[in-house]
Each structure stands twice: as C-alpha cells, then as structure tokens.
Amino acid sequence: MPRILVTGANGQIGSELVATLRERYDHNQVVRLDLQPPSAPDGEAPDGPFAVADVRDRETLADIVARYDIDVVYHLASLLSASGEQHPDRTWDVNVNGLKNVLDLAREHDLRVFWPSSIAVFGPSTPRENTPQQTVLDPTTIYGVTKRSGELLCRYYHRRYDLDVRSVRYPGLISYKTAPGGGTTDYAVDMFARAAAGEDYTCFLERDTCLPMMYMPDAIRATLDLMTADPGEITVRDSYNVGALSFAPHELAATIRRRVPTFSCSYDPDERQQIANKWPCSVDDTAARTDWGWAPEYDLEAMTDDMLDHLRTGEWEGESAGA
Ligand code: NAD
Ligand code: AKB
C-alpha cells in the first residue's frame, strides 16, 4: 500500500483529495502538508497525520518524506492566478522552486509525483475553442508562466531521470466543501454560494466570458485515474488537457435561476477580467481520453443540482480568497 504525501492539502482540491485517498487507502497512509494545521472541531486534534511545512524549505520536506517513508506525492501547494498577480515573486518561488524541491526529492527517493497544471498556460495566441493539446502556449500571468515552466520541468525530469511524474491542466474547479484560493474561475463557486443562501450575486467577470470548468468529483477522478494508469499508456509528460464543461457567467446564472427563481446576477468586472480574456473557452482532451480513458460524468445541469443540494445542507466554509 503506497504511503502518500499531499502538499497544499488544506486547499480547495487538497481537502477533497485527502478525503478520497483516505477512503481508498488506509487512513494513516495519507499525510497532509500545508502552511497551517488542518482545521478541526474546537478542542479536537486534526484527523490523521499532518505536517506543517513550506514547500520552499527543501530540508524540512526531505525530513517529512523520510519520516513517513513516502512513495507518492500529490504536489498541490501553489498560488493561483489572481493572488499570483498580487505576489509575482512569491508565486515564482512557491510554484516553481517548490515544484523543483519535490522533483529533486522524488529523484533521490524514487517517488511518483502528481502535479497539476492549469488552463492558465494558454494565452492570447492560443485558439480559444477546442484548444489543442499541442499549441501556442503564451501565458500572460505569472501564474501561467509558472505553470508552463512547471510542465517543462516535469517533462525534463521524466526524460532525463525517468521520473514518473504525471500532470493534468485542470480547468476552473467547482466544489462546495472548501472555498477556492484566489483564482479567476472562483466566481462560479461564489455564485452558487450566494444563490444557495438566498442572496443575489455581483460577478467580477463579464456576463459572456466563457471558460472551461469541471466539477470537483470529476477532477478527483481524473487525478486518480491518471495516477493509476499503466506508465506505458502515458504519452503526454508535460500536462494533459482535460475538458468537462464550458459556460459563461450568464449561462450559469440562468441554470441556477431555473432552480432558484428569485436569484439575480449583475456584472461588475474587475482586474480578473483581463486574465479570463486570455484563457480558452473549451479544450481538446482527445489525448487524455485515448491514453487513460478520461470522460467527465457531470454536465452543467447535474452539477448545478448537486451543488445546490449540498450547499443548502450547510456544507460551505465561506467566500473565495479573491472575493
Ligand atoms: P488553493 O489555493 O485552494 O490551495 C493551495 C494550498 O497551498 C493552500 O492551502 C495553501 O495554504 C497551500 N500553500 C501555499 N503556499 C504554500 C507553501 N509555500 N508551502 C506549503 N503550502 C502552501 O489551491 P487549489 O485550488 O486547491 O489548487 C491546487 C493546485 O491545483 C494548484 O497547483 C493549482 O494551480 C491547481 N489548479 C487549481 C484549479 C482550481 O480551479 N482550483 C485549476 C487549475 C489548477
Ligand atoms: C484560477 O482561476 O487561477 C484557477 C485555474 C484555472 O488555474 N482556478
């Protein structure tokens, strides 16, 4: 049974990935790592093993890998697109130097690595519809620059050192358990949260800004399916496009309004609009479908039903970091 380390484990993806991995494997085999301890009910100790560390601190990372005898790392610790523009130096340091620390430790300890890239690797010269797997990559944000640099670093370590590192370019992820951490696609989660609370929402993107999105259960399945695929099936070693949904804010608002008739959405774009304008609307994920059988399960209607059901039962912790 593999011993697993998840960095950035308190975040939007990490908190759900840890729960799924702990269901799939033994609870104590999965170690959470983040800058803070995981939250726990008042007076209770956090559930399961955790380590407080900064992924830029290579010595501490090495101690954790050795202490827990780690075999596999899901390296999620990162700054996202909107917060990245506020802290470009820190974003480079965490996103690129943190990844290099993990890859170097993986070489030394023969670890397998999952590291997520993003649709932020694309830019203004990239085709916006059905964006190909191989295409112009001209990111305009520091976040996108770090993601493309990370993709190339992963491919280099695979070719040069035969490291088994795998990656997907997640689209904007939508979930109800943990608030998103400072991205451009966060508006969708915020809109759901407001609608479920019986409130209206002012969107920070224009009504017609189409972006690729995915529901969290599909994202977790994509991650685990890629990591359990036979290494011989993996033909893309920078990062796979994975598609699921494509919609603009007004389409999401209309889908919600069919279930919450009193819901109203207005539009007041801020600086995140400039980021979204450079990203695609949809991606071509033929390589992921062919190589390891990727297929999303949730369409916009099914996701909206599920999100509202869960949010109405109170499974929500608050606003996104960028809100
Ligand atoms: P998040 O912001 O919700 O969580 C990131 C976590 O990393 C936070 O808990 C934060 O405390 C931690 N962290 C930040 N700096 C750290 C450091 N120096 N050392 C240790 N931990 C640190 O992010 P997320 O949405 O869960 O994203 C996880 C990964 O998936 C990131 O690489 C992100 O780029 C990628 N991704 C996310 C989305 C999305 O829509 N959520 C889309 C594309 C790609
Ligand atoms: C962001 O908006 O920054 C993230 C992403 C698409 O990488 N959700």
Side-chain angles (χ1 to χ4, degrees):
M1 196 179 291
R3 285 162 300 266
I4 299 170
L5 178 66
V6 181
T7 76
N10 296 350
Q12 188 193 9
I13 303 173
S15 52
E16 301 216 22
L17 183 64
V18 166
T20 307
L21 287 168
R22 284 180 173 172
E23 274 168 25
R24 185 175 286 201
Y25 303 105
D26 186 272
H27 194 82
N28 289 317
Q29 301 285 114
V30 182
V31 180
R32 305 175 63 121
L33 181 153
D34 209 302
L35 294 170
Q36 308 288 336
S39 59
D42 274 352
E44 287 183 28
D47 192 24
F50 72 91
V52 175
D54 188 318
V55 294
R56 295 173 292 176
D57 176 353
R58 180 154 163 196
E59 272 185 30
T60 304
L61 274 187
D63 285 348
I64 292 163
V65 165
R67 188 183 334 142
Y68 290 101
D69 198 12
I70 294 298
D71 302 301
V72 182
V73 181
Y74 291 81
H75 177 49
L76 307 180
S78 173
L79 276 76
L80 301 193
S81 59
S83 47
E85 288 310 291
Q86 288 160 20
H87 308 284
D89 293 345
R90 183 181 169 92
T91 302
W92 180 266
D93 204 15
V94 173
N95 293 13
V96 179
N97 296 333
L99 171 62
K100 186 160 185 306
N101 283 341
V102 168
L103 295 177
D104 286 334
L105 285 171
R107 274 180 65 201
E108 283 165 27
H109 295 266
D110 198 19
L111 313 179
R112 295 173 57 235
V113 178
F114 173 82
W115 171 80
S117 184
S118 161
I119 53 160
V121 294
F122 301 121
S125 310
T126 309
R128 286 208 78 230
E129 300 290 341
N130 215 22
T131 303
Q133 175 69 46
Q134 299 288 350
T135 186
V136 178
L137 294 160
D138 58 346
T140 55
T141 58
I142 187 65
Y143 174 65
V145 170
T146 65
K147 286 297 179 185
R148 183 55 185 156
S149 305
E151 289 185 356
L152 295 174
L153 207 52
C154 289
R155 193 174 65 186
Y156 179 80
Y157 273 64
H158 173 70
R159 287 180 177 170
R160 177 79 197 264
Y161 306 116
D162 200 26
L163 191 73
D164 190 358
V165 49
R166 306 178 184 197
S167 178
V168 295
R169 292 173 179 150
Y170 289 133
L173 300 184
I174 298 173
S175 65
Y176 55 83
K177 287 189 181 153
T178 305
T184 302
T185 58
D186 297 7
Y187 87 82
V189 178
D190 296 342
M191 190 187 295
F192 272 115
R194 288 294 167 89
E199 296 169 16
D200 295 336
Y201 178 61
T202 303
C203 182
F204 59 75
L205 296 184
E206 283 167 4
R207 67 190 300 285
D208 291 323
T209 310
C210 177
L211 291 169
M213 298 280 192
M214 185 182 287
Y215 196 31
M216 189 61 84
D218 277 335
I220 299 294
R221 204 163 43 75
T223 306
L224 298 180
D225 285 357
L226 175 61
M227 285 302 276
T228 49
D230 187 293
E233 293 169 348
I234 311 296
T235 63
V236 175
R237 287 292 183 166
D238 51 354
S239 192
Y240 280 98
N241 284 0
V242 282
L245 315 164
S246 289
F247 55 79
H250 79 94
E251 293 168 299
L252 180 60
T255 309
I256 291 174
R257 202 173 304 114
R258 286 197 287 279
R259 290 144 176 98
V260 186
T262 54
F263 176 66
S264 163
C265 185
S266 55
Y267 301 89
D268 185 13
D270 66 14
E271 66 285 352
R272 287 169 279 192
Q273 184 65 46
Q274 297 310 314
I275 299 176
N277 285 346
K278 309 292 190 306
W279 288 356
C281 172
S282 59
V283 298
D284 178 354
D285 57 6
T286 307
R289 288 174 186 263
T290 306
D291 288 359
W292 44 276
W294 163 245
E297 286 179 358
Y298 284 86
D299 62 14
L300 180 54
E301 301 292 334
M303 178 186 72
T304 303
D305 284 335
D306 204 57
M307 278 292 288
L308 291 174
D309 282 352
H310 284 284
L311 287 169
R312 282 168 172 150
T313 57
E315 295 173 59
W316 173 243
E317 291 179 358
E319 298 262 321
S320 67

